[in-house]
Amino acid sequence: MKGSFPAGAHAALPASSVVTGKIEETYPQFSLALRTFADFVLREPMKVASLSINETVEVTGVSVASANRFARKLGFSGYAEFRAELLRGMAPVQAPVDRLRRKLGESSDTTQVVQASLAEDIGNLEGSMVNLDPAR
């Protein structure tokens, strides 16, 4: 339906994140520029979190004013607060990577590293199954 939240758009951003919820709630009211920005945030949240506002608007083709307006429409005081919340929302996704890095930093043999990686994969798959939401 026109103006509705894009189905499956938050595949890279956890559905439970504050940013996802706010975008889903506000999306139908967005202008084309804000929808373009929102779609990019949902599709590439780590990229958005790692780029400056100027780099992000260059990639998305919207203005700095639109990026700031996007953040304010979501209820944040500005882009910096939005970006900080985006990072908090990505923490559950980043945690397995951090654990694997720690494991690699320890004196582990190849078998232990592969086992740890596979265990993380199993945990991620189980988490995905639990979080399936037919409404989305």
Side-chain angles (χ1 to χ4, degrees), residues 8-51:
H10 57 76
L13 187 60
S16 61
S17 80
V18 170
V19 171
T20 301
K22 288 180 180 230
I23 291 174
E24 186 170 352
E25 180 181 308
T26 314
Y27 194 89
Q29 302 156 18
F30 285 163
S31 65
L32 180 58
L34 296 186
R35 285 184 185 169
T36 299
F37 198 82
D39 293 345
F40 185 72
V41 168
L42 293 168
R43 197 173 52 254
E44 299 287 345
M46 289 304 289
K47 187 175 272 192
V48 173
S50 66
L51 297 175

Side-chain angles (χ1 to χ4, degrees), residues 90-113:
M90 292 303 297
V93 175
Q94 193 63 29
V97 175
D98 292 339
R99 283 193 295 274
L100 185 56
R101 281 190 184 132
R102 279 194 303 277
K103 187 72 173 168
L104 289 171
E106 298 170 1
S107 57
S108 306
D109 65 28
T110 304
T111 302
Q112 290 172 318
V113 172

